[in-house]
């Protein structure tokens, strides 16, 4: 079978999916993983080496795209919250596997804390900038009022 026949395959068929997988974006691949596999759909802590399981089931997937998709998934707030409390990791089908180490739970917790701190700092900076902008606007209004007051006397 040549590449043209793969591209001409009806959508939803294995041949069409295989043709679409190599050029998929990381977000498209992540959506596909969430649609196909319970571990992704339910945001379960993934087994170490899950990339090998994905490649075994989806041999045509681009490794770089897959790594990026896995990074998006495992870096999400939902996943980190699940990891923070997790005791067991899961394979693609949602079957329990090895235990989650305390080190991995602590890393998830620390990452979440850093994100919350960063977000709080960003919001504080936004509030301070808005406050400074408002103070500058009020100063301008006062200057304009003074200017009009003194210019109308002459």
């Amino acid at each position: 079978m040549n590449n043209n026949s793969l591209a001409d395959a009806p959508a939803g068929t294995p041949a069409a999916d295989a043709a679409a997988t190599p050029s998929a974006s990381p977000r498209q691949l992540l959506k596909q993983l969430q649609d196909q596999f319970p571990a992704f759909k339910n945001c379960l802590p993934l087994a170490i080496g899950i990339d090998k399981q994905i490649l075994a089931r989806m041999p045509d997937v681009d490794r770089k795209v897959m790594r990026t998709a896995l990074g998006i998934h495992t870096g999400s707030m939902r996943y980190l919250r699940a990891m923070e409390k997790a005791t067991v990791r899961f394979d693609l089908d949602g079957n329990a596997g090895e235990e989650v180490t305390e080190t991995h739970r602590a890393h998830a917790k620390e990452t979440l804390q850093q994100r919350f701190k960063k977000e709080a700092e960003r919001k504080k900076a936004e509030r301070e900038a808005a406050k400074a902008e408002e103070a500058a606007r009020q100063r301008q209004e006062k200057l304009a009022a003074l200017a009009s007051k003194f210019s109308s006397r002459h």
Side-chain angles (χ1 to χ4, degrees):
M1 191 183 280
N2 62 33
N3 285 342
N4 290 343
S5 61
L6 278 177
D8 296 335
T13 65
D17 291 346
T21 301
S23 62
S25 75
R27 293 210 182 270
Q28 289 170 326
L29 176 59
L30 182 55
K31 176 77 173 106
Q32 186 178 353
L33 292 170
Q34 289 168 340
D35 290 343
Q36 282 185 275
F37 303 113
F40 282 90
K41 182 185 297 183
N42 301 324
C43 207
L44 301 172
L46 298 175
I48 293 176
I50 198 82
D51 56 331
K52 292 170 187 64
Q53 292 179 30
I54 294 169
L55 288 171
R57 298 222 195 150
M58 304 169 79
D60 292 333
V61 75
D62 180 280
R63 289 171 188 258
K64 187 174 181 180
V65 170
M66 179 191 60
R67 282 193 298 274
T68 304
L70 286 171
I72 292 168
H73 181 72
T74 59
S76 71
M77 296 289 275
R78 185 175 173 211
Y79 184 84
L80 290 169
R81 283 190 179 115
M83 277 298 292
E84 183 181 29
K85 295 170 178 55
T87 57
V88 179
R89 293 178 174 275
F90 297 86
D91 68 8
L92 288 175
D93 297 318
N95 300 317
E98 67 271 13
E99 287 187 22
V100 175
T101 65
E102 184 55 40
T103 303
H104 290 159
R105 275 193 295 276
H107 178 266
K109 183 176 185 169
E110 183 180 318
T111 303
L112 284 169
Q113 287 173 341
Q114 288 172 356
R115 288 231 189 120
F116 291 141
K117 181 180 178 186
K118 195 175 187 179
E119 180 65 12
E121 289 169 357
R122 185 188 65 77
K123 285 182 178 178
K124 181 180 178 185
E126 280 180 3
R127 282 192 306 272
E128 289 173 357
K131 198 182 282 187
E133 195 175 299
E134 178 61 18
R137 186 188 63 74
Q138 287 176 351
R139 260 192 313 280
Q140 284 300 107
E141 285 178 1
K142 285 180 182 179
L143 286 172
L146 284 171
S148 70
K149 179 178 177 181
F150 287 110
S151 66
S152 63
R153 289 184 178 176
H154 294 278

